Amino acid sequence: MGLRPSSSSSSSSSSRAGLLIIWWCCLIQYSNMALGSKTRHFKWEVEYMYWSPDCVEHVVMGINGQFPGPTIRARAGDTVHVELTNKLPTEGVVIHWHGIRQQGTPWADGTASISQCVINPGETFLYRFKVDKAGTYFYHGHYGMQRSAGLYGSLIVDVAEGAKEPFHYDGEFNLLLSDWWHQSAHEQELGLSSKPMRWPGEPQSLLMNGRGQYNCSLAAHFTNSSSTQCKFNGTEQCAPEILRVMPKKTYRLRLASTTALASLNLAIGNHKMVVVEADGNYVQPFVVEDMDIYSGESYSVLLTTDQDPSQNYWVSISVRGRKPQTPQGLTILHYLHHPKTTLIPTRPPPVAPLWNNYTHSKLFTTKILALMGTPRPPTTTHRRIALLNTQNYIDGYTKWAINNLSLVLPSTPYLGALKYSINNAFDGEKPPENFPMDYNVMNPATNQNSSYGSGVYMLDFNTTVDVILQNANALAENTSEIHPWHLHGHDFWVLGYGEGRFSDQKENNFNFRNPPFRNTAVIFPYGWTALRFVADNPGAWAFHCHIEPHLHMGMGVVFAEGVHLVGKVPHEALTCGLTGKMFMGGNGKP
């Protein structure tokens, strides 16, 4: 503030005067912040359109004729208004604002059947929410598998007017990472819901800002494959977005992964990166040569252009955690003002770590620690919920389950059903908070059958909750997959990771000093991840694996807290199911 009371033995009246001055300065500061905030208005139309994300034309889901959708840019404290019109001919749509906590606006979280009804064809819905924290975020469809269809875009929140980041940079780039199939999202959905299941396979290509290459390669002359060298004039929809830089500068790269399936590793040839932000929270800076990024995660890294400016360098993304059948995604870091005969780098792209080198992945993940000043977790918890991730059968259909229940979403959004105390809107039986003591996570289950469920974990408001995410063997022997879990409406502290089955003794190794504060966390094969959060945001919130097919197959749960404290919910959010019937019958008020 620049002011402090004198330490001399002055009169009590002068002390009061000093305190009054401090109070007045604080009031002015907060008034300036409030005056500096703005309302950002956007008018969007969601529609199908023909596009060539990887040089092969297919149908994509776009916004205002763009793929990916328009980037939202705002400052911390701003209010965002998105007037969304559904121009899809025969299906509903919603948009989730990934990483935005929606405090006071749980109906704007954009989760079909949880926070709102879908927006029907021809309808318009107004999303209105405050972006209260600076960071790198994104948005995406949250109905069916519309993220796989291309419904996503970036959401960047800059610091409030007059505030500063805890690091310096000269310029900025934004890279939204995704994967792409030539099979439509509808066909993928049908295959996953069939008996036997028809797995869609690995993606055909990896995209950076919606651009990739399938039938050619930027680095064809460095590989032994039959790929031809891509030749672009720069106007093609699949032409790479070149990162043009000046020498001896520091650039911020904002990274976010909206992949439907692929875990990724990112590297920049000959350059190191400094990680400074994860999921909208500052972290203790650390240096890496490459980094893993899982679906649902976002980062900021600092890149210093300190290499030979007469050369260009590859920016690459590669598949992690699954046997790669998808080529690297590539673009180019181009040093300006130095003549070059070609944009193509003279050296081959970075070699990614082996896809199943989980030691490499864990070393990166455990380096992520909260920057000093980040909120610290409560030292005790009121409740612990253990969630066992398993692959199962239900009547011969392949499903994913949590504590042996595969999530099915009801026709009435949980938020409305709970707010208006509507009976029979979802399964009233409490979902299990643990799994059998004798369950062996290292082997396939002895009973591989499961059940459907739509129950809710009801959390006492303002209490501290621990969640233990427990991974296990899938249906096939010697198979356990990576699962990145995302929590809506909250950030959580990642207290620790471990191998095998979690036990209470492993709590002794929890990190309470500087655990990362995040909204997405990974569980590694045959491992566990411990999270802690405060249930302080009234609403109904999804918590789920961010791999699109896994969520579609039931890999998620619903938390609810303080719903009685939720204020007015727009009528349009709840015009389906039992809430819609209630409004039509005049037995309730929106």
Side-chain angles (χ1 to χ4, degrees):
M1 299 294 298
L3 292 172
R4 61 181 179 182
S6 170
S7 59
S8 63
S9 56
S10 56
S11 66
S12 60
S13 60
S14 63
S15 296
R16 285 195 299 271
L19 291 172
L20 182 61
I21 292 171
I22 293 173
W23 175 84
W24 181 249
C25 288
C26 289
L27 180 63
I28 292 173
Q29 179 178 340
Y30 291 133
S31 298
N32 288 340
M33 287 177 63
L35 290 171
S37 62
K38 298 179 180 179
T39 299
R40 313 277 179 171
H41 293 274
F42 302 89
K43 193 170 184 178
W44 288 358
E45 293 183 347
V46 177
E47 59 192 341
Y48 282 116
M49 57 190 190
Y50 288 107
W51 205 265
S52 301
D54 62 357
C55 306
V56 179
E57 187 177 75
H58 281 278
V59 173
V60 305
M61 195 173 283
I63 299 174
N64 292 356
Q66 298 180 43
F67 169 78
T71 295
I72 290 179
R73 192 119 201 177
R75 288 192 177 274
D78 286 352
T79 299
V80 173
H81 279 214
V82 179
E83 186 179 320
L84 185 72
T85 299
N86 181 2
K87 291 287 190 177
L88 305 174
T90 58
E91 63 186 292
V93 70
V94 295
I95 288 185
H96 169 57
W97 315 96
H98 188 107
I100 306 301
R101 290 177 290 182
Q102 301 294 350
Q103 291 180 310
T105 53
W107 50 267
D109 189 49
T111 46
S113 297
I114 298 176
S115 65
Q116 70 171 107
C117 304
V118 298
I119 306 163
N120 289 319
E123 291 182 346
T124 297
F125 184 82
L126 176 62
Y127 286 104
R128 184 183 74 252
F129 53 90
K130 187 174 182 178
V131 289
D132 60 344
K133 188 171 62 169
T136 304
Y137 307 102
F138 61 102
Y139 62 84
H140 59 81
H142 214 294
Y143 178 53
M145 291 179 62
Q146 291 180 344
R147 180 156 49 99
S148 295
L151 185 54
Y152 45 73
S154 295
L155 198 170
I156 306 299
V157 182
D158 294 306
V159 294
E161 198 76 49
K164 292 184 178 180
E165 305 271 15
F167 43 82
H168 167 78
Y169 53 97
D170 303 299
E172 178 179 312
F173 296 100
N174 180 50
L175 289 180
L176 183 64
L177 312 177
S178 57
D179 43 13
W180 187 250
W181 282 258
H182 294 169
Q183 187 182 59
S184 74
H186 292 304
E187 191 172 349
Q188 292 181 51
E189 281 185 85
L190 178 60
L192 293 169
S193 304
S194 296
K195 184 169 65 174
M197 179 188 70
R198 299 185 183 186
W199 181 249
E202 303 303 308
Q204 271 67 63
S205 54
L206 302 176
L207 310 181
M208 287 187 266
N209 291 344
R211 295 164 178 264
Q213 297 81 41
Y214 172 71
N215 53 7
C216 66
S217 171
L218 293 172
H221 58 289
F222 292 114
T223 68
N224 295 322
S225 71
S226 58
S227 296
T228 58
Q229 182 69 37
C230 296
K231 295 180 181 179
F232 295 122
N233 61 30
T235 62
E236 298 87 352
Q237 293 171 341
C238 59
E241 199 169 277
I242 307 298
L243 308 186
R244 293 177 168 84
V245 297
M246 296 292 293
K248 307 300 182 183
K249 300 289 184 181
T250 297
Y251 292 87
R252 179 181 189 168
L253 269 62
R254 294 183 182 268
L255 309 168
S257 176
T258 185
T259 56
L261 176 64
S263 302
L264 301 173
N265 180 270
L266 180 138
I268 303 175
N270 276 47
H271 290 74
K272 289 180 168 56
M273 298 172 283
V274 180
V275 181
V276 293
E277 177 213 345
D279 293 353
N281 294 285
Y282 299 126
V283 300
Q284 295 180 23
F286 64 98
V287 178
V288 295
E289 293 185 354
D290 62 85
M291 59 183 291
D292 286 350
I293 179 167
Y294 303 99
S295 179
E297 291 187 328
S298 64
Y299 291 94
S300 282
V301 299
L302 300 181
L303 167 75
T304 299
T305 51
D306 54 4
Q307 297 301 300
D308 181 357
S310 69
Q311 301 290 317
N312 284 339
Y313 303 88
W314 295 108
V315 180
S316 68
I317 50 175
S318 308
V319 172
R320 302 283 286 127
R322 306 181 67 85
K323 192 171 183 178
Q325 300 173 28
T326 309
Q328 279 183 316
L330 295 171
T331 189
I332 296 167
L333 185 74
H334 173 49
Y335 278 70
L336 294 171
H337 299 328
H338 283 265
K340 302 173 180 68
T341 57
T342 176
L343 272 176
I344 301 299
T346 58
R347 300 176 183 176
V351 177
L354 286 175
W355 67 272
N356 57 356
N357 184 349
Y358 297 116
T359 300
H360 186 90
S361 300
K362 293 170 186 177
L363 284 173
F364 170 75
T365 300
T366 53
K367 285 181 181 177
I368 302 170
L369 299 170
L371 189 66
M372 185 179 295
T374 302
R376 297 176 73 171
T379 55
T380 58
T381 186
H382 299 97
R383 186 173 177 183
R384 175 169 289 169
I385 301 171
L387 301 178
L388 174 68
N389 296 226
T390 56
Q391 194 178 36
N392 303 79
Y393 292 117
I394 301 179
D395 299 328
Y397 293 93
T398 303
K399 298 292 178 182
W400 286 96
I402 304 302
N403 293 349
N404 214 41
L405 288 178
S406 185
L407 180 65
V408 288
L409 295 174
S411 59
T412 303
Y414 289 100
L415 181 63
L418 292 167
K419 179 174 174 60
Y420 294 109
S421 302
I422 298 175
N423 296 323
N424 304 317
F426 55 85
D427 189 350
E429 186 175 342
K430 295 180 180 179
E433 301 201 4
N434 214 323
F435 54 96
M437 292 293 295
D438 60 352
Y439 192 96
N440 186 347
V441 301
M442 306 303 292
N443 294 322
T446 53
N447 179 7
Q448 296 184 331
N449 294 312
S450 182
S451 303
Y452 294 113
S454 61
V456 178
Y457 289 94
M458 300 298 297
L459 310 177
D460 291 336
F461 186 62
N462 259 340
T463 59
T464 301
V465 180
D466 280 7
V467 175
I468 307 298
L469 291 169
Q470 178 66 64
N471 213 341
N473 201 99
L475 286 169
E477 290 187 359
N478 302 314
T479 301
S480 185
E481 299 186 23
I482 284 176
H483 299 292
W485 275 73
H486 172 60
L487 177 59
H488 294 225
H490 307 75
D491 285 347
F492 49 67
W493 293 274
V494 185
L495 300 182
Y497 305 88
E499 311 290 336
R501 178 168 178 153
F502 177 82
S503 64
D504 291 340
Q505 291 76 21
K506 295 176 181 178
E507 186 176 349
N508 296 329
N509 296 322
F510 281 0
N511 175 13
F512 291 106
R513 188 168 62 90
N514 53 8
F517 203 36
R518 307 202 60 172
N519 61 57
T520 303
V522 63
I523 39 173
F524 292 105
Y526 299 109
W528 55 265
T529 299
L531 314 175
R532 177 167 293 182
F533 71 97
V534 178
D536 59 358
N537 193 4
W541 308 105
F543 182 44
H544 61 89
C545 178
H546 209 260
I547 292 175
E548 186 99 308
H550 292 181
L551 175 59
H552 183 72
M553 297 164 71
M555 198 173 196
V557 298
V558 176
F559 293 142
E561 71 224 40
V563 178
H564 63 287
L565 299 174
V566 173
K568 181 178 174 61
V569 177
H571 186 190
E572 298 78 15
L574 301 174
T575 53
C576 61
L578 296 178
T579 45
K581 292 179 181 178
M582 181 185 72
F583 296 155
M584 289 176 62
N587 296 323
K589 295 182 179 180

